[in-house]
């Protein structure tokens, strides 16, 4: 049955919220103030048409928007978009008892995302459809770097070679790094190896096993060049990495001793080491090895002591933190165990970068309770047109 209703607000997933018979119904692609026609299935609404559009509704630039689930926010104007994403940062902080305002909203889309994962299925290659497990077949994606223009074609070729797969792409200075994941136990390396020459790939792997490497996938991090290990973390856009690294370096200031925790392959540590020695820690052993190699082959860097350690299960204690400043860039789970140790320490400056607003708010509250004051809260928008936002903040005693 079709229902005509008014959208009252916007949920944290970018969905319009309607109140129908005392219940909230979430309607993707709808905006507050709009009168819309929808169908409902419990709390899920499907937009059939907009009767009265909101003043901030704009025409999406991508012809796939609305069918493809990769983007959620192309239909709102710039002011509304930035306000929504700023709210994603500030609202969880308020729930954690922290009254804080984003001081800067930084567009870090740059040339587009250098990383993407496409699903290769019988129906095509692309991202999942909105609220579906079906793939929306893509001819192109306008929010990725030009180097990923052929990603849908490569994913379709993977489908022909080994069947249904998830195909991850990273655009590097030396070409595409492509990692295939499939549940087919009999997937053969020789079926996909011709793709390296066909698409001029830098490296190809299948279920974590090297298929063929024409040349090591390399990215620049400050003065250094880093060879990427399989599966190591890398910021989605090069612009965001630069913005975040500049933030970290400026926030650390003249600190002579710095620890970079959850350091990955070294986007912050390698830049910090241009001015001072750095102690770098991460659980990713391959990432630590790549960081160490990059440091050894880069002229003009100070010493980087890189250690593999699980900071979730075995955080550095307050007695192992004789540093003037600490940098944190944890995964979505946050860094609760490590932050509790930092809160008990005498470290003057903690710089935190985070990709999950709720765990960031939790960890920020722990630091503030430990005597730190938060400043320079920044929203870094690298996942453009999605409901994800990167955060950076500085905590000082």
């Amino acid at each position: 049955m079709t229902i005509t209703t008014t959208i009252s607000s916007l949920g944290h997933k970018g969905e319009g919220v309607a109140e129908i018979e005392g219940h909230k119904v979430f309607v993707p692609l709808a905006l507050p103030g709009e009168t819309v026609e929808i169908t409902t299935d419990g709390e899920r609404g499907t937009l059939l048409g907009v009767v009265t559009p909101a003043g901030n509704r704009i025409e999406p630039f991508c012809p796939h928007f609305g069918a493809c689930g990769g983007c959620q926010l192309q239909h709102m104007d710039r002011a509304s978009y930035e306000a929504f994403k700023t709210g994603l940062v500030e609202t969880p902080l308020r729930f954690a008892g922290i009254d804080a305002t984003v001081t800067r909203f930084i567009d870090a889309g740059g040339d587009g995302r250098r990383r993407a994962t496409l699903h290769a299925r019988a129906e095509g290659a692309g991202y999942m459809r909105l609220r579906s497990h079906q793939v929306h077949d893509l001819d192109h994606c306008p929010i990725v770097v030009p180097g990923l223009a052929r990603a849908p074609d490569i994913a379709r070729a993977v489908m022909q070679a080994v069947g249904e797969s998830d195909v991850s792409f990273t655009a590097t200075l030396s070409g595409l790094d492509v990692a295939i994941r499939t549940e087919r136990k009999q997937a053969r390396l020789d079926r996909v190896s011709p793709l390296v020459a066909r698409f001029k790939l830098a490296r190809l792997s299948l279920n974590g096993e090297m298929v063929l490497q024409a040349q090591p996938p390399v990215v620049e991090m400050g003065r250094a060049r880093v060879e990427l290990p399989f599966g190591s973390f890398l910021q989605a856009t090069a612009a965001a990495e630069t913005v975040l690294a500049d933030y970290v370096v400026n926030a650390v200031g003249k600190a002579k001793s710095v620890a970079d925790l959850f350091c990955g392959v070294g986007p912050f540590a390698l830049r910090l080491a241009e001015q001072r020695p750095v102690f770098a820690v991460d659980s990713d052993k391959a990432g630590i090895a790549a960081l160490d190699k990059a440091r050894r082959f880069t002229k003009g860097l100070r010493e980087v002591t890189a250690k593999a350690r699980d900071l979730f299960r075995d955080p550095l204690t307050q007695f192992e933190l004789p540093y003037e400043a600490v940098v944190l860039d944890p995964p979505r789970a946050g860094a609760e165990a490590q932050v509790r140790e930092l809160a008990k320490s005498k470290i003057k400056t903690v710089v935190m970068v985070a990709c999950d607003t709720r765990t960031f708010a939790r960890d920020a509250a722990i630091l503030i309770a430990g005597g730190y004051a938060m400043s320079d809260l920044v929203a870094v928008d690298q996942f453009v047109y999605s409901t994800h936002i990167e955060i950076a903040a500085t905590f000082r005693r």
Side-chain angles (χ1 to χ4, degrees):
M1 183 175 66
T2 300
I3 298 172
T4 301
T5 188
T6 300
I7 302 299
S8 59
S9 61
L10 205 61
H12 72 277
K13 294 183 179 180
E15 300 172 319
V17 181
E19 298 278 348
I20 299 176
E21 297 181 352
H23 299 284
K24 289 184 177 181
V25 176
F26 298 89
V27 187
L29 312 178
L31 295 173
E34 292 187 327
T35 301
V36 296
E37 291 184 342
I38 64 171
T39 58
T40 63
D41 181 8
E43 65 175 17
R44 299 175 65 172
T46 299
L47 182 67
L48 300 180
V50 178
V51 179
T52 306
N56 62 340
R57 175 176 285 277
I58 62 174
E59 189 67 24
F61 62 86
C62 178
H64 298 285
F65 182 73
C68 171
C71 293
Q72 297 85 44
L73 305 174
Q74 289 185 22
H75 60 309
M76 61 173 65
D77 67 16
R78 189 67 195 180
S80 303
Y81 174 83
E82 290 190 11
F84 171 75
K85 286 212 155 180
T86 298
L88 292 178
V89 178
E90 294 176 349
T91 300
L93 287 169
R94 283 198 297 272
F95 278 117
I98 303 169
D99 185 13
T101 301
V102 170
T103 59
R104 287 178 289 157
F105 184 93
I106 302 172
D107 182 350
D111 294 330
R113 296 188 199 177
R114 58 183 174 180
R115 306 197 82 171
T117 298
L118 299 185
H119 309 290
R121 303 289 188 269
E123 62 267 25
Y127 306 111
M128 292 298 181
R129 289 181 173 273
L130 195 65
R131 283 182 171 175
S132 172
H133 295 295
Q134 294 294 309
V135 169
H136 177 76
D137 191 38
L138 285 177
D139 55 351
H140 76 291
C141 175
I143 64 168
V144 299
V145 294
L148 293 182
R150 299 196 70 188
D153 292 335
I154 297 170
R156 280 186 276 272
V158 169
M159 172 67 194
Q160 294 174 354
V162 295
E164 292 191 350
S165 311
D166 293 331
V167 189
S168 297
F169 299 87
T170 303
T172 77
L173 295 174
S174 48
L176 291 185
D177 182 20
V178 179
I180 303 168
R181 288 283 176 184
T182 178
E183 294 184 0
R184 289 189 61 181
K185 296 180 180 179
Q186 303 302 318
R188 290 167 43 187
L189 301 184
D190 63 325
R191 296 291 301 275
V192 294
S193 58
L195 300 181
V196 174
R198 177 180 169 187
F199 293 103
K200 296 183 172 65
L201 306 180
R203 181 173 67 187
L204 180 65
S205 65
L206 176 63
N207 290 337
E209 183 179 352
M210 174 83 77
V211 175
L212 193 62
Q213 178 171 283
Q215 49 191 330
V218 173
V219 294
E220 284 185 344
M221 293 183 173
R223 297 178 193 167
R225 288 197 166 199
V226 180
E227 294 182 10
L228 293 179
F230 290 129
S232 287
F233 175 77
L234 187 69
Q235 295 292 351
T237 72
E241 182 184 294
T242 299
V243 165
L244 292 168
D246 288 347
Y247 180 99
V248 166
V249 170
N250 290 332
V252 165
K254 296 181 180 180
K256 295 180 180 179
S257 56
V258 179
D260 181 8
L261 309 184
F262 304 96
C263 65
V265 295
F268 304 148
L270 289 166
R271 289 173 171 93
L272 288 166
E274 294 177 11
Q275 301 176 26
R276 69 204 34 97
V278 178
F279 178 56
V281 184
D282 199 284
S283 61
D284 179 5
K285 294 181 180 179
I288 288 292
L291 165 57
D292 185 61
K293 181 178 179 179
R295 194 275 309 167
R296 287 186 284 109
F297 283 89
T298 304
K299 294 181 179 179
L301 296 188
R302 303 293 296 275
E303 183 66 26
V304 178
T305 304
K307 300 287 186 182
R309 179 165 169 170
D310 186 340
L311 296 174
F312 292 107
R313 295 192 175 104
D314 186 21
L316 294 172
T317 69
Q318 58 180 312
F319 307 108
E320 298 175 279
L321 293 165
Y323 306 101
E324 293 181 26
V326 165
V327 177
L328 291 164
D329 184 11
R332 293 199 175 278
E336 183 176 5
Q338 185 60 72
V339 164
R340 291 195 181 280
E341 291 297 325
L342 289 169
K344 295 185 286 187
S345 75
K346 296 181 180 180
I347 292 168
K348 295 179 181 179
T349 302
V350 175
V351 186
M352 182 149 50
V353 174
C355 58
D356 186 278
T357 58
R358 295 183 181 185
T359 58
F360 169 77
R362 178 201 66 202
D363 294 346
I366 294 169
L367 288 174
I368 291 169
Y372 287 91
M374 184 171 69
S375 63
D376 199 15
L377 177 64
V378 175
V380 179
D381 190 28
Q382 66 170 323
F383 297 101
V384 293
Y385 308 112
S386 79
T387 56
H388 298 292
I389 189 76
E390 202 83 14
I391 312 158
T394 303
F395 300 82
R396 300 190 195 277
R397 289 196 182 277

